[in-house]
Amino acid sequence: MPNTSAERPRRITTSRDGPLLLEGPVEVVLEDGTTVSSERFCVALCTCRRSRTYPWCDTSHRKSHRKRPKPDRPDARDPDRSGSATTA
């Protein structure tokens, strides 16, 4: 991709637990030397290497950072607060 001095610099946005967001279009050179490209105006590059579409992010990083599973029902957290628990 040509990069003339008249073009403004590409912006890359970082986040702690997410992908790198790059203003496109972009070309990415992979470790094996192959080049992949995207013409999109904004591209998310995977940094966790869990993506099935690497080097593009598919949000797989979200699945591995959950603190704890969410309960299915509001009363599942505390059976004493559900009102349906019986005491002996």
Side-chain angles (χ1 to χ4, degrees), residues 8-23:
R8 65 181 178 86
R10 299 283 184 211
R11 182 178 303 246
I12 300 173
T13 306
T14 63
S15 63
R16 180 170 301 187
D17 294 326
L20 292 174
L21 300 177
L22 288 83
E23 291 182 357

Side-chain angles (χ1 to χ4, degrees), residues 9 11 15 54 63 65:
R11 182 178 303 246
S15 63
Y54 188 83
K63 297 175 187 125
H65 284 78

Side-chain angles (χ1 to χ4, degrees), residues 52-72:
R52 290 186 180 131
T53 59
Y54 188 83
W56 317 121
C57 178
D58 67 0
T59 69
S60 292
H61 61 275
R62 292 181 185 169
K63 297 175 187 125
S64 65
H65 284 78
R66 291 191 180 166
K67 304 293 186 227
R68 59 184 154 171
K70 293 182 180 180
D72 294 335

Side-chain angles (χ1 to χ4, degrees), residues 70-83:
K70 293 182 180 180
D72 294 335
R73 300 181 319 271
D75 62 340
R77 283 184 257 154
D78 187 359
D80 295 333
R81 295 180 66 194
S82 68

